[in-house]
Amino acid sequence: MRPNPLPQVEIQATAQQPLEAGAQRVPPVAPSHKPNVDRVFLRQLRSILRIAFPSLNSQETLIVLLHSFFLVLRTVLSVGVARLDGRIVRDLVSGDGPGFLRGLGWWFAFALPSTYTNSMLRHLQSKLALRLRTRLTRYTHDLYLSSAPAQRYYRISQPGGLEGVDQYITSDIAAFCDSLS
């Protein structure tokens, strides 16, 4: 018997209460409203962030805190490398060979934590974008593909309407989450 090569992921539907609360927080915007950074935009952004970060104890919040820690660490390392670069140039110009070699040794010693920090930043950013994308896509699909709104979805996706509405939703959410993370 072969083992199952793919792990099973349990997907739970979004409860009806958050869907209703989200619909109340984000009322439809009038077609004449032009996109702008105003009160309407900020209210919608706040609602989206409540979905993306459901609580302060969520894993998304932990990832943001870890990412912030590594950003501060990268800043500290960058300042250290800048000082070290100045010292290396000073020793090179003054002809201090042992000081120059010692500076190069320290410069190589800074390379390992700097590389790890940059890799962690990229990893945490990707992980956060994926978690936000998963959460928002799940919420949006539950919202638009549940019983009553599904009629709206199918009406939009019929001939004469928009084609590939679900793909537009998915790609827009992915772009938003990448930018947010």
Side-chain angles (χ1 to χ4, degrees), residues 16-162:
Q16 194 62 30
Q17 182 185 13
L19 292 175
E20 292 169 358
Q24 291 172 357
R25 283 195 297 265
V26 186
V29 178
S32 61
H33 183 78
K34 295 187 180 193
N36 200 359
V37 179
D38 57 1
R39 199 175 304 177
V40 173
F41 170 77
L42 294 175
R43 186 177 62 233
Q44 290 176 339
L45 180 62
R46 193 168 126 207
S47 297
I48 291 171
L49 290 177
R50 282 184 182 168
I51 296 164
F53 298 94
S55 71
L56 290 176
N57 298 331
S58 67
Q59 287 186 356
E60 291 82 2
T61 305
L62 176 66
I63 293 172
V64 168
L65 291 174
L66 277 172
H67 193 270
S68 299
F69 168 77
F70 279 105
L71 281 172
V72 170
L73 182 61
R74 183 171 71 176
T75 302
V76 169
L77 288 170
S78 295
V79 169
V81 167
R83 284 184 181 170
L84 189 58
D85 286 345
R87 196 176 315 152
I88 289 173
V89 169
R90 180 195 68 199
D91 292 339
L92 183 64
V93 169
S94 68
D96 182 11
F100 174 73
L101 291 176
R102 192 175 4 193
L104 280 181
W106 278 109
W107 195 81
F108 283 118
F110 267 98
L112 186 64
S114 297
T115 303
Y116 179 76
T117 300
N118 285 332
S119 296
M120 281 304 293
L121 282 170
R122 259 184 257 113
H123 171 70
L124 290 171
Q125 182 176 346
S126 299
K127 188 170 180 130
L128 180 62
L130 179 63
R131 289 195 62 86
L132 295 178
R133 185 169 56 238
T134 301
R135 189 178 293 278
L136 289 174
T137 300
R138 184 86 207 141
Y139 179 87
T140 305
H141 282 195
D142 287 347
L143 183 66
Y144 284 104
L145 298 177
S146 62
S147 60
Q151 295 169 359
R152 261 186 277 150
Y153 167 77
Y154 288 116
R155 202 172 354 168
I156 292 172
S157 62
Q158 292 300 317
L162 293 174

Side-chain angles (χ1 to χ4, degrees), residues 2-8:
R2 274 188 333 166
N4 189 357
L6 298 175
Q8 299 296 317

